[in-house]
Amino acid sequence: MQRKALMNAGVRGRIVALTRNACALVDGAAVGAPENSAPAGLAKVIGREFPYLKTRVQDLDGHVTSDLLWREIVRPEPGLHLLRDGCSYHEVFEELPELGTGTEQDYLKAGGTYLVTGGTGGIGLAISEMFASLQPDIDLVLVSRSGAPDRADWEQLIAKEPDGKAARTARTITEIEGMGARVHVYAADAGDPDALRAVVEDVQRRFGRIDGIVHAAGIPGRNLISLRDPQDFADVVRPKIHGAYVLNNATAGSSPDFIVHFSSVAVVFPSSGQGGYAAGNYYLETLARMGRSDDCHVVAVDWVAWREIGMAVDYGSKLDTTFKAVYTNTGLGIVDKMLRSRRRRAFAGEVNYDGNLVHIFKSFDMSLGDTVNTKMKQAESDLRDRLRIASEQKRKQIDAVSVELTGREDGVYRDAEITVARCFADALGYPTLDVEADFFNIGGDSLMATTVASNIATCLQVELDAADLLMERTVCAVADAVELMRDEAAEVSPA
């Protein structure tokens, strides 16, 4: 709430969040309070949504002195930093050529019981189907908020609405059972600790134990931190943090063979609107890195968008962006390889070096490894050539937009205001715009703001992004900001 208030007030400055032993530096590291690692994910999103408010998460160990602490917290670099035995560590993103570790082994056992949260969603059903194909003699427990339709209605549902969600669920469960597996569906919210704990305890009573868990439940974040209320934020966090906590603690005495947490690209390269989602998923990362005291193999996979099924398809974000969207067979193969290895964490995505968003990587609070950095430099060079051509086409498109500005008695408007108005109108579709109309009050949203800001930057040749539209929300205010940027650039340019 404090960070939201600062963002809404337009404060420029730095926030340093101090935690103690909340994050794991290496696999198996002792972590005092893993739930306190969630701010690391949130901090990254604040930097995306509001670049004027730099946020640094500084995780300390028990050996820090006051002088050392002061040295670290005054450093300007944002992002996540771990202080261990007097040394400072920062995240690095590098390619992983192989998922295997050389100790591959089977992970499903005949007669075993496997629980999947988000179990009747597209990915949950695909995982269940893969498990049944690898080991038919298993009990699959699918947990989801919606559950499954009554079995007596399946035949009618499939005939009446074959492409509907309920029909797809019924059809897929029928196919899984046709392989020989036994499917049991529970309607319960993974974000409700009591409800999820009741399911786990009932499954343990019925089957004696749970041999493996896939935690794939989740709700995406859909708005900027400054525009969200606490309940909305909590709704996103709970399935991740509360769900994982219950699954971990309720099985502490029975030691399942594995727990797979479906994490997200948002913990490494978040987008605006993913504050709660990044926070919740970073907790999953920490659980996997620290592991458990028993032999349970805890895994966290940071997924980019799946192209054919899952949340990205449901919300219309299944396209290639900074990363190439994952095909279903590829995603299932990654899950299989992770479980056959003893690896605890992986980023499941391929950088889209041929895309138009590679330049965005430089804006993240993340160091790039040597291999990625070399490829990125070449990709950026290729991108500059493509963008030069695209910018010319975009300027022609915006110049062709017809919009009438209103709000001044003399009817006189600056060239920058006219261009900004055309960019607003291109996105919103209005034939007239008041020069003082608030972008977000006339139909604009956080996703639209990204496109509008990019178009303004292209047409007026300034560095402007969606965060600037949070500060300067009207045609007049944006034009003022653009002219100020131009003046500042002229002052620092050599004569």
Side-chain angles (χ1 to χ4, degrees):
M1 289 301 293
Q2 180 189 40
R3 296 180 189 188
K4 176 179 176 179
L6 291 172
M7 293 169 75
N8 282 330
V11 173
R12 300 177 182 230
R14 296 178 67 244
I15 293 177
V16 179
L18 296 178
T19 57
R20 182 181 292 276
N21 286 327
C23 303
L25 176 64
V26 296
D27 288 350
V31 175
E35 62 273 15
N36 288 343
S37 66
L42 178 61
K44 295 179 181 182
V45 177
I46 292 174
R48 304 303 301 168
E49 295 183 1
F50 197 78
Y52 304 120
L53 192 59
K54 301 297 183 182
T55 304
R56 178 184 176 101
V57 175
Q58 185 69 62
D59 191 52
L60 313 172
D61 62 10
H63 305 99
V64 63
T65 63
S66 57
D67 290 342
L68 187 57
L69 175 59
W70 178 251
R71 185 197 73 186
E72 291 300 307
I73 64 175
V74 297
R75 286 185 170 180
E77 300 87 358
L80 173 64
H81 299 262
L82 274 60
L83 196 60
R84 298 292 185 267
D85 294 322
C87 297
S88 183
Y89 297 89
H90 185 49
E91 294 174 302
V92 176
F93 181 73
E94 182 59 288
E95 289 186 1
L96 183 67
E98 296 290 340
L99 281 176
T101 61
T103 57
E104 284 69 20
Q105 56 189 347
D106 292 336
Y107 53 89
L108 300 172
K109 61 181 65 171
T113 301
Y114 300 92
L115 185 148
V116 183
T117 68
T120 61
I123 292 177
L125 288 171
I127 294 290
S128 301
E129 196 168 13
M130 181 185 76
F131 281 5
S133 69
L134 294 173
Q135 174 53 265
D137 182 20
I138 58 175
D139 287 280
L140 287 164
V141 178
L142 310 185
V143 184
S144 68
R145 286 178 297 166
S146 59
D150 192 293
R151 284 180 179 265
D153 300 328
W154 285 10
E155 185 174 344
Q156 182 179 356
L157 277 171
I158 294 172
K160 187 176 180 180
E161 297 183 51
D163 296 325
K165 183 180 185 301
R168 289 198 302 270
T169 299
R171 188 166 51 247
T172 304
I173 292 176
T174 300
E175 292 169 355
I176 292 172
E177 292 178 331
M179 297 176 184
R182 300 165 293 278
V183 180
H184 317 271
V185 181
Y186 286 76
D189 184 354
D192 182 338
D194 294 335
L196 184 58
R197 186 177 294 106
V199 169
V200 172
E201 292 174 352
D202 186 65
V203 173
Q204 290 171 328
R205 281 193 298 268
R206 289 179 64 183
F207 302 102
R209 58 178 276 112
I210 297 174
D211 295 285
I213 295 172
V214 177
H215 184 31
I219 299 174
R222 297 292 290 175
N223 214 337
L224 302 178
I225 295 171
S226 60
L227 301 177
R228 298 178 76 170
D229 58 64
Q231 184 58 51
D232 176 48
F233 193 87
D235 288 343
V236 175
V237 169
R238 283 183 180 130
K240 296 297 182 179
I241 295 182
H242 292 194
Y245 179 86
V246 169
L247 293 171
N248 188 62
N249 284 271
T251 60
S254 55
S255 185
D257 296 327
F258 63 82
I259 299 177
V260 181
H261 293 297
F262 269 52
S263 183
S264 166
V265 59
V267 305
V268 186
F269 300 106
S271 299
S272 296
Q274 293 185 317
Y277 198 61
N281 279 299
Y282 207 94
Y283 172 70
L284 305 184
E285 298 283 298
T286 303
L287 288 181
R289 293 297 299 271
M290 62 186 285
R292 298 190 4 159
S293 59
D294 52 23
D295 292 329
C296 179
H297 180 200
V298 185
V299 177
V301 184
D302 302 340
W303 292 105
V304 299
W306 287 50
R307 186 180 298 275
E308 299 162 306
I309 57 175
M311 189 184 296
V313 175
D314 296 338
Y315 289 88
S317 55
K318 62 178 181 177
L319 302 176
D320 293 340
T321 54
T322 46
F323 296 91
K324 296 180 180 180
V326 174
Y327 285 96
T328 304
N329 286 339
T330 301
L332 296 177
I334 291 171
V335 173
D336 182 61
K337 288 181 180 179
M338 289 293 290
L339 284 172
R340 291 186 186 279
S341 73
R342 296 304 296 177
R343 192 177 295 280
R344 301 190 187 193
R345 181 190 176 195
F347 184 99
E350 180 183 356
V351 176
N352 188 15
Y353 291 109
D354 296 327
N356 291 337
L357 299 174
V358 288
H359 63 289
I360 292 177
F361 282 91
K362 285 185 176 180
S363 66
F364 288 97
D365 302 327
M366 172 71 65
S367 298
L368 302 179
D370 292 339
T371 301
V372 173
N373 198 41
T374 298
K375 292 183 178 180
M376 200 67 68
K377 287 180 179 179
Q378 181 59 52
E380 288 175 346
S381 176
D382 296 340
L383 175 62
R384 282 192 292 271
D385 293 336
R386 295 198 302 273
L387 289 181
R388 190 178 303 112
I389 298 172
S391 294
E392 293 173 359
Q393 295 173 338
K394 177 58 67 176
R395 281 192 286 270
K396 290 179 181 178
Q397 174 191 326
I398 297 299
D399 286 343
V401 174
S402 178
V403 60
E404 180 185 357
L405 271 176
T406 62
R408 291 201 186 117
E409 291 184 3
D410 60 9
V412 177
Y413 302 97
R414 294 167 288 169
D415 289 343
E417 289 175 329
I418 294 171
T419 299
V420 172
R422 285 173 175 163
C423 292
F424 276 29
D426 181 62
L428 298 168
Y430 293 129
T432 62
L433 282 172
D434 190 299
V435 74
E436 296 293 349
D438 188 306
F439 175 78
F440 292 97
N441 289 341
I442 58 176
D445 58 29
S446 58
L447 296 178
M448 197 181 296
T450 301
T451 300
V452 171
S454 175
N455 289 344
I456 294 171
T458 297
C459 293
L460 296 176
Q461 297 181 307
V462 294
E463 293 186 5
L464 191 87
D465 58 29
D468 293 304
L469 283 184
L470 283 175
M471 296 282 293
E472 320 296 348
R473 300 180 175 217
T474 69
V475 168
C476 178
V478 173
D480 287 343
V482 167
E483 292 181 348
L484 179 60
M485 292 177 188
R486 287 174 167 175
D487 291 342
E488 291 175 345
E491 290 177 2
V492 299
S493 297

